[in-house]
C-alpha cells in the first residue's frame, strides 16, 4: 500500500513566526485536500533561514504554545516542519519536528552546521548529537537537515538502523550558473539524492525552499527519489509548489531483494575500523 | 553556444581559454528577474529607478527591471553632463522604446559647473568625475521617493577592481548585476535583446572627454575577467596564475587593485566601544521581516 506524501516548497518569511504559522496552515490544508498522509516543510520553515541574531529572538521550546497550531493540525495528517529549538539548557538548535495525531513524536537537531562560504550556522546554533530513526505510518524514517545529508555517514546510519525513508528538509542557496549544465547546486543535490536512494535502497525526500533572503536565492527543485533511483516526483526550480508523490514500501522490499546491499552490510567492520582509528574499545558481541 | 562537452573537462587556468566565463543566460535571467521582484517587494517598495547611461550595464539592469516589475513601474533617468555624447542619449532612448519604460532626461551640467566655479585652484578631472557620479546618484535617490528602490549597475569586474565612485555610481538599494563579470554581462545583454550597438561599443563612464574604461585601466575586460575569475571564483593565488602563463605584471596589478579598493565594497568602519555594536556584533539580516 502506497502512502501519499506532500512537499510544501514554500518561501518562509525571515523572522515572522506568526505569519509563517499561518502560511503553514494554508499548505497543510492543500496537502490534506490532495490526500496526503504527511506534509513536509523545508529547513527552518517556521522562522526563515539566514536569521543571524534573530535566531535567539524566534527560538522556542518544542512544546511552546506558538507551535500549538501545528500540533493541532497534525490530527488530520502528519506534519514535518522546521523551527529554532531552545533546549532545556538554553542552547539553540536548528530543529525539524514531526507532529502526528496532535502530538510531537520526533525532533531532529541538525548535526552538521555549515560554517564556511555563505553559511554561518555554527556561529548561531549548537549542533545536534544523534541520528535517531522514528516510526510513523509511512515507515521507519530518519531526518537529515540540509548539510546533514551532504555527509555520507548520515543516510548510511539511518539505512543501517532500518530506515526506508530519509527526509531531507533543506534551505539550499542556488549558485553556479556556468553554461552547459544545470544550476550547480541542483546538479550536486540531484546526484546525492539518486546515489543515496539507489545504493541504500531508501526513499530520499528532498525538500527545498524558494524565495530570497538578503540577496540569496533558494532554488527549490524538491524531489522524491525512489530506491530504484527513479525520480518519483520533482518540483520546479525557484517557484512555490505543492509536490505530491507516493512512497511505496513494496518497492523498497523489491529493490532490497534485487539488490541486497544493506543486508550484506558489515557494520561490525565499519565500527571496528573507526573504533580502532579513534582508539576506542570495541568488543564484538555475538 | 558551446557544446556541453566543454563542461566535461577540468577547468584549467589558461590565458587563452575564456570558456570558464560562459554562463547559462536563461537561468541567470530568471534568477535576476526573481531577485529584483522579491527583494523590491520585501523592502515594501514597488518601483525601480535606474540611471540609464546608454551603456550595457544599465541597459541590462533596466531591461531586467521591466521584466520583473512591469515597465510602468520602472523609471529610467538619463542624466547628461555637457560632454555626454549624442550616441548615449540615442541608446538610452532606444532602450526606453524597446523595453517600454518611461525615460526622463535630467541634465547635471548646471549644478556641477556651479559647484566647481568657486574653488580658485585647478580642479583635477577625477574630482569632477566623482562629483558627477554622486550628483547622478542623488537624483536617482530623490526620484525613488516614496515607493521606489534604486537599482545598482556596477558589475563584478568594476566592484572587484574598485573602478567606480564610492557613494556615486556604486550606491544602490539592490544590485542585480554585481555578480556578473563584464564579459558575462555582455553575453547576457545579447541574449535578452539589448541592441548590438550598445553591447559592442567601448565602455566609458564619460566623466571626461575621450575617457574609456579600458584606456584608463590599461587592460581589456576579457583579460581582466579571466584573471579575476580564476583568482576570485576558483581561489587561485597570483603566483599560480603566473605559473600557468598569465601576464605577471597584469596579475599583480589586478590583485593590487582588488586589495586597495576593498574599502569601497564594505560598510564604513565603526569604532567598537559598547557591548553591542552595529556591524560588529549586532547582526540582523537586512530582510528582517515582522509578523
Amino acid at each position: 500500500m502506497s502512502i501519499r506524501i506532500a512537499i510544501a516548497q514554500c518561501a518562509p518569511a525571515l523572522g515572522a513566526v506568526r505569519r509563517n504559522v499561518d502560511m503553514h496552515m494554508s499548505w497543510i490544508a492543500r496537502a490534506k485536500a490532495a490526500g496526503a498522509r504527511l506534509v513536509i516543510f523545508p529547513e527552518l520553515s517556521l522562522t526563515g533561514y539566514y536569521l543571524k541574531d534573530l535566531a535567539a529572538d524566534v527560538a522556542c521550546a518544542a512544546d511552546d504554545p506558538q507551535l500549538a497550531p501545528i500540533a493541532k493540525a497534525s490530527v488530520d495528517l502528519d506534519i514535518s516542519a522546521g523551527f529554532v529549538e531552545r533546549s532545556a539548557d538554553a542552547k539553540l538548535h536548528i530543529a525539524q519536528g514531526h507532529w502526528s495525531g496532535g502530538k510531537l513524536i520526533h525532533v531532529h537537531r541538525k548535526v552538521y552546521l555549515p560554517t564556511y562560504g555563505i553559511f554561518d550556522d555554527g556561529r548561531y546554533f549548537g549542533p545536534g548529537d544523534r541520528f535517531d530513526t522514528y516510526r510513523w505510518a509511512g515507515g521507519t524514517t530518519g531526518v537529515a537537515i540540509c548539510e546533514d545529508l551532504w555527509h555520507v555517514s548520515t543516510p548510511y546510519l539511518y539505512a543501517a538502523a532500518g530506515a526506508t525513508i530519509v527526509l531531507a528538509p533543506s534551505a539550499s542557496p542556488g549558485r553556479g550558473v556556468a553554461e552547459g549544465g544545470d544550476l550547480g547546486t541542483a546538479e550536486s543535490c540531484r546526484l546525492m539524492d539518486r546515489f543515496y536512494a539507489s545504493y541504500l535502497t531508501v526513499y530520499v525526500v528532498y525538500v527545498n525552499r524558494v524565495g530570497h533572503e538578503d540577496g540569496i536565492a533558494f532554488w527549490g527543485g524538491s524531489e522524491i527519489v525512489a530506491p530504484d533511483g527513479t525520480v518519483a516526483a520533482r518540483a520546479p526550480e525557484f517557484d512555490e509548489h505543492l509536490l505530491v508523490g507516493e512512497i511505496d514500501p513494496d518497492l523498497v522490499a523489491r529493490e532490497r531483494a534485487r539488490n541486497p546491499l544493506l543486508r550484506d552490510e558489515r557494520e561490525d567492520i565499519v565500527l571496528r575500523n573507526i573504533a580502532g582509528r579513534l582508539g576506542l574499545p570495541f568488543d564484538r558481541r555475538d | 553556444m558551446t557544446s556541453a562537452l566543454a563542461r566535461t573537462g577540468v577547468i584549467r587556468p589558461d590565458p587563452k581559454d575564456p570558456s570558464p566565463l560562459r554562463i547559462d543566460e536563461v537561468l541567470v535571467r530568471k534568477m535576476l528577474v526573481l531577485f529584483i521582484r522579491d527583494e523590491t517587494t520585501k523592502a515594501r517598495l514597488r518601483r525601480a529607478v535606474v540611471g540609464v547611461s546608454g551603456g550595457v550595464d544599465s541597459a541590462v539592469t533596466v531591461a531586467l527591471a521591466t521584466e520583473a516589475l512591469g515597465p510602468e513601474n520602472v523609471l529610467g533617468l538619463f542624466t547628461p553632463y555637457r560632454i555626454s555624447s549624442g550616441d548615449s542619449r540615442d541608446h538610452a532612448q532606444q532602450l526606453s522604446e524597446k523595453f517600454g519604460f518611461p525615460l526622463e532626461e535630467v541634465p547635471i551640467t548646471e549644478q556641477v559647473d556651479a559647484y566647481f566655479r568657486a574653488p580658485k585652484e585647478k580642479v583635477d578631472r577625477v574630482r569632477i568625475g566623482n562629483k558627477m557620479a554622486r550628483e547622478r546618484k542623488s537624483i536617482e535617490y530623490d526620484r525613488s521617493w516614496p515607493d521606489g528602490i534604486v537599482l545598482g549597475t556596477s558589475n563584478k569586474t568594476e566592484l572587484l577592481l574598485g573602478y567606480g565612485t564610492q557613494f556615486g555610481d556604486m550606491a544602490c538599494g539592490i544590485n542585480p548585476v554585481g555578480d556578473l563579470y563584464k564579459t558575462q554581462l555582455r553575453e547576457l545583454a545579447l541574449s535578452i535583446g539589448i541592441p548590438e550597438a550598445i553591447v559592442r561599443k567601448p565602455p566609458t563612464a564619460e566623466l571626461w572627454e575621450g575617457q574609456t574604461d579600458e584606456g584608463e585601466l590599461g587592460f581589456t575586460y576579457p583579460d581582466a575577467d579571466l584573471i579575476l575569475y580564476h583568482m576570485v571564483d576558483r581561489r587561485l593565488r597570483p603566483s599560480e596564475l603566473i605559473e600557468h602563463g598569465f601576464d605577471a605584471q597584469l596579475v599583480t596589478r589586478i590583485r593590487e587593485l582588488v586589495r586597495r579598493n576593498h574599502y569601497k565594497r564594505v560598510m564604513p568602519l565603526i569604532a567598537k566601544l559598547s557591548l553591542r555594536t552595529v556591524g560588529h556584533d549586532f547582526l540582523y539580516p537586512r530582510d528582517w521581516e515582522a509578523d
Side-chain angles (χ1 to χ4, degrees):
Chain A
M1 255 294 278
S2 287
I3 294 263
R4 182 171 293 177
I5 63 167
I7 292 173
Q9 182 169 295
C10 56
L14 188 53
V17 178
R18 270 183 313 215
R19 189 139 53 95
N20 286 329
V21 169
D22 291 346
M23 179 269 283
H24 278 57
M25 290 306 146
S26 80
W27 287 88
I28 291 165
R30 286 173 62 197
K32 188 183 162 192
R37 295 283 299 273
L38 165 71
V39 57
I40 313 139
F41 290 88
E43 176 179 14
L44 293 178
S45 59
L46 287 157
T47 61
Y49 178 67
Y50 278 110
L51 290 158
K52 299 188 171 184
D53 284 358
L54 269 171
D57 302 352
V58 300
C60 65
D63 59 357
D64 190 277
Q66 69 176 339
L67 302 178
I70 304 290
K72 202 173 156 205
S74 75
V75 170
D76 296 326
L77 78 169
D78 286 25
I79 300 162
S80 170
F83 64 104
V84 177
E85 184 193 5
R86 180 179 279 115
S87 64
D89 58 349
K91 289 178 189 148
L92 302 187
H93 298 283
I94 294 177
Q96 187 83 5
H98 188 122
W99 287 265
S100 181
K103 289 193 179 70
L104 182 66
I105 61 165
H106 181 77
V107 175
H108 173 68
R109 294 171 175 169
K110 189 177 189 176
V111 172
Y112 293 110
L113 302 173
T115 307
Y116 57 82
I118 51 173
F119 302 107
D120 216 3
D121 285 9
R123 179 183 170 94
Y124 301 100
F125 299 101
D129 60 2
R130 57 190 60 240
F131 290 108
D132 289 338
T133 58
Y134 66 101
R135 284 193 60 80
W136 64 286
T140 302
T141 296
V143 175
I145 302 176
C146 209
E147 188 89 349
D148 285 343
L149 190 69
W150 289 68
H151 287 257
V152 179
S153 52
T154 306
Y156 172 82
L157 287 173
Y158 283 144
T164 54
I165 303 169
V166 175
L167 296 182
S170 302
S172 167
R175 56 213 188 277
V177 293
E179 181 186 70
D182 208 340
L183 178 71
T185 338
E187 240 177 308
S188 311
C189 289
R190 283 176 189 147
L191 175 66
M192 206 164 57
D193 297 346
R194 275 197 78 183
F195 174 78
Y196 293 145
S198 312
Y199 292 85
L200 297 169
T201 47
V202 295
Y203 272 94
V204 174
V205 181
Y206 178 75
V207 184
N208 191 19
R209 57 163 293 177
V210 292
H212 287 83
E213 287 180 357
D214 281 11
I216 288 174
F218 300 96
W219 62 277
S222 303
E223 62 182 5
I224 301 169
V225 184
D228 59 358
T230 55
V231 178
R234 181 181 284 164
E237 292 182 5
F238 298 109
D239 296 324
E240 288 197 313
H241 188 81
L242 183 78
L243 183 71
V244 178
E246 310 279 332
I247 300 270
D248 178 5
D250 294 341
L251 180 63
V252 177
R254 286 201 303 277
E255 275 307 303
R256 289 186 179 182
R258 186 182 72 79
N259 190 10
L261 291 169
L262 270 180
R263 183 198 65 190
D264 300 343
E265 181 62 26
R266 289 290 301 272
E267 287 176 75
D268 57 333
I269 296 178
V270 174
L271 191 53
R272 195 183 312 129
N273 189 304
I274 293 175
R277 200 166 46 73
L278 298 181
L280 299 171
F282 172 71
D283 300 314
R284 182 166 177 177
R285 279 170 291 178
D286 289 312
Chain B
M1 289 289 287
T2 50
S3 68
L5 206 62
R7 286 288 308 279
T8 58
V10 178
I11 294 177
R12 287 181 205 285
D14 177 354
K16 289 183 203 63
D17 178 16
S19 70
L21 283 166
R22 293 207 189 99
I23 52 165
D24 179 338
E25 305 95 337
V26 176
L27 176 61
V28 169
R29 176 187 191 161
K30 175 164 186 175
M31 288 180 78
L32 295 184
V33 166
L34 290 173
F35 165 83
I36 295 170
R37 191 181 296 149
D38 212 12
E39 295 292 9
T40 303
T41 318
K42 271 189 200 220
R44 305 206 171 212
L45 302 170
R46 56 172 202 88
R47 288 187 310 123
V49 176
V50 187
V52 180
S53 66
V56 66
D57 301 342
S58 58
V60 168
T61 306
V62 77
L64 293 170
T66 59
E67 192 175 338
L69 305 172
E72 68 282 6
N73 292 316
V74 176
L75 173 63
L77 291 172
F78 180 67
T79 50
Y81 186 64
R82 58 184 147 76
I83 57 154
S84 297
S85 76
D87 269 2
S88 298
R89 178 182 286 106
D90 291 347
H91 288 155
Q93 275 165 357
Q94 270 179 44
L95 291 166
S96 160
E97 281 156 32
K98 179 159 179 137
F99 294 99
F101 61 89
L103 180 74
E104 286 184 31
E105 183 164 331
V106 186
I108 57 166
T109 308
E110 276 184 32
Q111 58 264 49
V112 171
D113 287 356
Y115 174 77
F116 283 113
R117 224 168 276 141
K120 296 274 187 291
E121 80 278 23
K122 189 178 178 323
V123 177
D124 192 287
R125 64 186 184 181
V126 173
R127 275 182 64 194
I128 301 173
N130 283 337
K131 176 72 179 158
M132 286 160 58
R134 293 187 181 118
E135 198 62 44
R136 290 183 166 125
K137 197 58 70 170
S138 87
I139 293 166
E140 289 168 35
Y141 269 93
D142 172 55
R143 297 302 306 276
S144 72
W145 192 85
D147 57 354
I149 193 159
V150 174
L151 296 192
T153 61
S154 298
N155 61 56
K156 190 171 185 174
T157 314
E158 287 177 343
L159 289 175
L160 286 170
L161 297 176
Y163 190 62
T165 299
Q166 197 184 24
F167 310 120
D169 53 304
M170 293 178 93
C172 62
I174 57 172
N175 178 349
V177 297
D179 203 15
L180 289 169
Y181 291 111
K182 185 79 175 188
T183 44
Q184 296 175 324
L185 210 138
R186 282 181 177 141
E187 189 183 325
L188 178 65
L190 290 172
S191 85
I192 64 173
I194 305 298
E196 284 226 27
I198 295 175
V199 182
R200 306 275 184 222
K201 69 181 175 182
T204 169
E206 284 198 318
L207 297 179
W208 51 84
E209 272 172 287
Q211 182 196 26
T212 64
D213 294 7
E214 289 167 325
E216 197 184 5
L217 289 164
F219 48 77
T220 69
Y221 277 118
D223 286 348
D225 287 355
L226 198 57
I227 288 172
L228 287 168
Y229 171 81
H230 288 295
M231 197 185 282
V232 175
D233 296 52
R234 313 290 301 187
R235 300 173 194 250
L236 267 80
R237 286 188 296 274
S239 58
E240 291 172 305
L241 287 173
I242 293 162
E243 276 166 37
H244 280 92
F246 286 88
D247 182 84
Q249 234 181 339
L250 185 55
V251 169
T252 310
R253 169 116 199 279
I254 284 176
R255 168 72 193 167
E256 182 55 14
L257 284 170
V258 171
R259 186 199 65 78
R260 204 174 65 205
N261 289 321
H262 188 63
Y263 73 93
K264 293 187 183 180
R265 293 185 289 268
V266 295
M267 293 294 278
L269 299 183
I270 294 174
K272 172 80 180 165
L273 294 171
S274 74
L275 293 178
R276 208 167 176 207
T277 310
V278 171
H280 290 289
D281 43 17
F282 178 79
L283 298 174
Y284 280 80
R286 180 166 133 171
D287 283 355
W288 179 358
E289 295 183 67
D291 281 314

